[in-house]
Amino acid sequence: MKIKLDFVANSSSTSFVYISNEELSEEVFLEAVGVDGDGPVGDLFRQMHSEICTALRHHGEQVTTKETADSLAGTHEFTPEVIEKMKNAIEQGKNVVTAKLSSDGPLAESLLCMAMFEIESDRFYINAYNNYW
């Protein structure tokens, strides 16, 4: 990870997709990422969970058709495999939501923008592989 300590002229954003039948609870999130909420990085990961949920709640866009999922391939840089996951989830009646995180936000949100990540559990799927600065 690179950290720039002087003036940064631009910011980054990260588009991500959330697929599930339920809202993302803190407990389910921490279990999926393998973090003990009372451990040394528990607070940071609770904040990351909060930032993801805030982005979904306030800026999330529901993807309800396979055609809409296909149209995201060129604009959000989702891989063909992720687009297929979206289309399969839509077919199964799951919620498929895209949202963005920004490096201009709090530390936890900024950290999420600095690393590509994918979280897959039996309860949800998040993919944020298209980070850019």
Side-chain angles (χ1 to χ4, degrees):
M1 176 186 330
K2 295 180 182 178
I3 299 174
K4 186 169 177 79
L5 298 175
D6 57 345
F7 179 73
V8 177
N10 62 351
S11 62
S12 74
S13 63
T14 298
S15 296
F16 69 97
V17 62
Y18 175 73
I19 299 172
S20 183
N21 285 326
E22 59 190 81
E23 284 193 36
L24 183 60
S25 74
E26 184 177 282
E27 179 183 336
V28 168
F29 177 77
L30 292 175
E31 180 181 319
V33 296
V35 171
D36 178 357
D38 296 324
V41 294
D43 189 48
L44 176 61
F45 277 84
R46 280 194 299 275
Q47 290 171 26
M48 287 178 177
H49 165 263
S50 177
E51 294 301 331
I52 290 169
C53 289
T54 297
L56 289 168
R57 201 173 306 113
H58 296 290
H59 308 291
E61 294 184 24
Q62 196 82 20
V63 180
T64 57
T65 68
K66 292 180 180 184
E67 293 76 23
T68 303
D70 278 330
S71 74
L72 296 175
T75 59
H76 290 78
E77 301 177 24
F78 292 119
T79 65
E81 293 82 14
V82 173
I83 298 297
E84 282 305 309
K85 280 185 184 258
M86 289 182 197
K87 293 191 307 189
N88 290 337
I90 290 166
E91 198 170 83
Q92 295 169 15
K94 293 183 179 183
N95 292 321
V96 178
V97 183
T98 61
K100 287 187 177 189
L101 299 164
S102 172
S103 65
D104 288 339
L107 175 63
E109 183 177 9
S110 294
L111 290 173
L112 288 168
C113 285
M114 288 184 208
M116 298 182 295
F117 64 94
E118 180 175 55
I119 306 167
E120 187 163 11
S121 78
D122 58 345
R123 307 222 4 219
F124 72 92
Y125 174 75
I126 295 177
N127 179 287
Y129 266 21
N130 62 326
N131 300 293
Y132 48 91
W133 282 89

